[in-house]
Amino acid sequence: GADYHVEDEENDKRPFKCILDVGLQTTAAGHRMWGALKGAVDGGLHIPHTNKKFPGFKASDEKGGESEYDADAHKEKIFGGQVKDYMEMLAEEDPTKYEAHFSKYIAKDMDGEKLEEMYTEAHEKIREDPEHELAEKKGTSHTRGEAGQITSSDGTEHMRNKKITLEQRRAKVAAKIAAAQAKLL
């Protein structure tokens, strides 16, 4: 959770340097991508960054003053502290909404107090085996029927509108216009 920079460490090897490319993502303060950046930096990558967008950063009140970064606030955000607070608030104020929103947590006998433990356990499992394993493909196939009906090999059925040509669209619009004119007369 502390403020950590790889470049400050004195090793024989230089750390792997990366540049964070956020693309079209909004870089709002407290966004979850900053948590990913923090995890990558703590993991040993050298990514030039500033703490200004991290949760727990507080700018100075006066110009030229000292700003401060509260690493514990950032750690609490990473470990789901805001979710814990929301769970507790909902449990007190609106139990039915709490049961609807957190039904899977309730089924696993999870409450706000066990969230940090759950995230800690997940981080440990990632450290043990960081390789991503692809999920097995289900092998479902889809057959397209008449009028946009799609049937899957697992038995599910879906309706999809069939794409119409330009001439068909123009004829459809002309028919609607004619119907509206006939209605007015």
Side-chain angles (χ1 to χ4, degrees), residues 6-7 9-17 44-46:
V6 176
E7 61 201 24
E9 299 290 321
E10 293 184 20
N11 293 331
D12 295 336
K13 292 183 178 181
R14 288 185 6 214
F16 185 75
K17 184 175 182 176
L45 296 176
H46 171 52

Side-chain angles (χ1 to χ4, degrees), residues 2 4 14 16 25-27 50 56 58 61 86 88 91-92 100 103 112 124 127 135 166:
Y4 177 74
R14 288 185 6 214
F16 185 75
Q25 186 68 50
T26 305
T27 56
T50 179
K58 190 180 287 183
D61 294 333
Y86 183 64
E88 291 171 353
E92 291 175 11
S103 60
E124 287 172 3
R127 284 187 197 102
L166 178 63

Side-chain angles (χ1 to χ4, degrees), residues 45-144:
L45 296 176
H46 171 52
I47 305 173
H49 68 283
T50 179
N51 295 340
K52 289 182 180 179
K53 299 284 187 173
F54 285 169
F57 179 81
K58 190 180 287 183
S60 64
D61 294 333
E62 52 195 52
K63 192 170 185 175
E66 191 74 21
S67 57
E68 59 184 65
Y69 169 62
D70 183 12
D72 291 331
H74 195 170
K75 181 181 177 187
E76 185 174 329
K77 185 96 170 179
I78 290 171
F79 285 100
Q82 74 280 10
V83 178
K84 173 186 162 197
D85 295 340
Y86 183 64
M87 285 177 84
E88 291 171 353
M89 186 267 305
L90 266 185
E92 291 175 11
E93 294 180 9
D94 193 358
T96 56
K97 192 173 182 181
Y98 169 75
E99 291 172 7
H101 279 288
F102 297 104
S103 60
K104 291 186 180 182
Y105 286 92
I106 294 169
K108 293 181 181 182
D109 194 33
M110 294 280 299
D111 60 351
E113 300 300 323
K114 296 179 184 176
L115 277 180
E116 186 171 345
E117 181 182 314
M118 178 187 73
Y119 282 117
T120 305
E121 186 178 313
H123 292 156
E124 287 172 3
K125 286 181 181 178
I126 291 170
R127 284 187 197 102
E128 285 175 12
D129 185 21
E131 287 294 317
H132 175 69
E133 296 175 8
L134 294 174
E136 245 182 69
K137 292 192 176 186
K138 295 180 182 176
T140 57
S141 60
H142 306 285
T143 54
R144 200 176 278 270

